[in-house]
Amino acid sequence: TTQVCRLGGASAGTYPVSVNFPSLGDARYAGDNILYFSYQLILSSFSPQSGSVGGGTVLTVRGFGLSQNATVTVGGKECEVVLAADTELKCRTPAGAAGLQAVTVTVGNMSETANTTFTYDNNLTPQISGLSPQTASVTGDQLLTIQGSNLGGQDNDSIVFVGAKRCLTEQWTETQISCHLPVMPPGVYQVDVHVGNRGFPQTSSGVNASIRYILDVYGISPLSGSLMGGTMLTVSGSGFSNDTSDIKVSVGSSDCEVVSASQNQLQCIIESEEKRHVVTNQGSHLTYGLGYAWSPSSLQVFVGDTVMWRWEAPAFQSVGYRVFSVSSPSGTEYDGGPLNSGGAKTAQ
């Protein structure tokens, strides 16, 4: 008449209790009254108990009934959950006003406020007072210098991000950070500093905590040249590299070989537009099958291009081929035009 079981961990909430016998199936509720059990939401502790007013401190909350679906607030603002299990979750604190703030966890319709408060502390808040340079080349690898105070020391949790990419640290002290800028497309990117688990820094008034990656083209000269290539093209702009191997220039589908370059100007020699095309008899005819149609069946060519026809008769077939100009796409007779492979058909 009695069964005893030990509960596992679960998210806070109310769940139906059911009993199943492998040989018989599910048990019936007496009087069809479903029995329910409630997992309580319990907060036992959180750490650290203080952090930056800029937010970004990873708060570890311990207790029971927690889950990935839990919502955590610090001072009424959401603390973004980054990791969660039944007995522990981690979230990144929002920015907040200096002072004591309540920590509240909500799971479903259950809500619990911690017995202790989280302190936003100005003394723990890193400060950024300057950032240079404010512009960079898209090739990256320049040194970004961030000045400030209370920046802590270099550790595994201290990271600088430019946009979504990491800026590799060269030096990290209490007052200055130096890191190598990553390769980025042209655009303006926010510079974010994570100072260990102190959180995000505050930026002094008037300081622009962003960097602009530059790659602009202002003009080209000359504006026309030979179809066969060989034209020396001068491109003016900004954000170029002094290393010619870093730069690729194309004009239409043709490459332009870079011969000299500076930050604001480069010169390149346009390669020929001419291409080599090969047409074979390996196309498939609707009636006769493979070997009785040209492949490709159509081709767009330009001045300077070379087209070569290559054919080989299908095995055990006595068939010949020739190529000549016709007056229309459906023509089958030589019209005296410029292209003629000869009067006799050949097998290959």
Side-chain angles (χ1 to χ4, degrees):
T1 60
T2 302
Q3 272 189 335
V4 178
C5 64
R6 187 179 301 279
L7 290 165
S11 174
T14 301
Y15 301 89
V17 178
S18 60
V19 179
N20 175 276
F21 295 88
S23 60
L24 299 175
D26 292 333
R28 185 175 63 183
Y29 293 105
D32 291 329
N33 294 318
I34 299 174
L35 303 178
Y36 291 94
F37 178 83
S38 293
Y39 278 95
Q40 298 298 319
L41 177 61
I42 300 172
L43 300 187
S44 55
S45 66
F46 68 83
S47 63
Q49 296 194 344
S50 58
S52 169
V53 297
T57 302
V58 176
L59 199 65
T60 301
V61 180
R62 298 177 181 87
F64 300 94
L66 307 174
S67 77
Q68 188 67 49
N69 297 323
T71 300
V72 184
T73 60
V74 180
K77 296 180 181 179
E78 184 173 355
C79 185
E80 180 189 2
V81 176
V82 295
L83 189 67
D86 296 336
T87 59
E88 181 179 287
L89 63 78
K90 295 179 184 290
C91 66
R92 197 175 297 278
T93 60
L100 305 177
Q101 302 291 347
V103 176
T104 302
V105 178
T106 302
V107 179
N109 60 358
M110 295 185 180
S111 187
E112 188 76 13
T113 299
N115 293 329
T116 55
T117 55
F118 180 82
T119 303
Y120 283 106
D121 191 342
N122 282 321
N123 295 325
L124 294 177
T125 303
Q127 302 287 334
I128 292 179
S129 57
L131 182 150
S132 66
Q134 298 279 183
T135 60
S137 167
V138 292
T139 57
D141 205 32
Q142 294 170 260
L143 206 60
L144 176 68
T145 301
I146 301 168
Q147 291 92 22
S149 60
N150 206 20
L151 297 175
Q154 185 173 357
D155 60 38
N156 292 334
D157 294 325
S158 295
I159 306 172
V160 177
F161 285 100
V162 177
K165 286 190 177 181
R166 186 169 182 169
C167 189
L168 296 177
T169 304
E170 171 83 9
Q171 184 184 40
W172 196 304
T173 69
E174 279 282 343
T175 57
Q176 182 171 295
I177 303 168
S178 298
C179 61
H180 293 276
L181 287 169
V183 175
M184 298 287 275
V188 178
Y189 299 93
Q190 187 70 23
V191 177
D192 291 320
V193 181
H194 296 199
V195 183
N197 201 30
R198 295 189 188 183
F200 300 141
Q202 278 190 321
T203 303
S204 300
S205 177
V207 174
N208 180 11
S210 65
I211 186 167
R212 181 172 178 252
Y213 277 73
I214 297 174
L215 183 60
D216 294 323
V217 174
Y218 303 145
I220 60 171
S221 177
L223 295 178
S224 60
S226 170
L227 279 168
M228 303 308 292
T231 302
M232 176 73 79
L233 189 69
T234 300
V235 183
S236 60
S238 61
F240 301 164
S241 172
N242 294 322
D243 187 350
T244 58
S245 64
D246 286 341
I247 307 171
K248 181 179 179 181
V249 181
S250 59
V251 180
S253 59
S254 296
D255 289 335
C256 191
E257 182 185 0
V258 180
V259 294
S260 66
S262 66
Q263 290 293 316
N264 302 310
Q265 182 174 288
L266 64 84
Q267 288 186 311
C268 62
I269 300 175
I270 301 175
E271 296 180 359
S272 173
E273 282 271 2
E274 62 182 308
K275 294 180 181 177
R276 182 180 179 84
H277 308 272
V278 177
V279 181
T280 73
N281 69 317
Q282 295 305 303
S284 184
H285 189 277
L286 288 175
T287 302
Y288 303 109
L290 190 68
Y292 290 88
W294 296 119
S295 176
S297 59
S298 64
L299 198 61
Q300 188 175 27
V301 297
F302 297 91
V303 173
D305 286 0
T306 300
V307 183
M308 181 174 73
W309 278 264
R310 179 185 290 133
W311 59 80
E312 185 172 352
F316 312 114
Q317 299 294 317
S318 177
V319 61
Y321 302 83
R322 61 190 287 237
V323 181
F324 49 77
S325 299
V326 292
S327 56
S328 67
S330 60
T332 58
E333 300 294 333
Y334 177 52
D335 66 353
L339 179 63
N340 189 351
S341 65
K345 297 179 180 179
T346 60
Q348 60 181 357

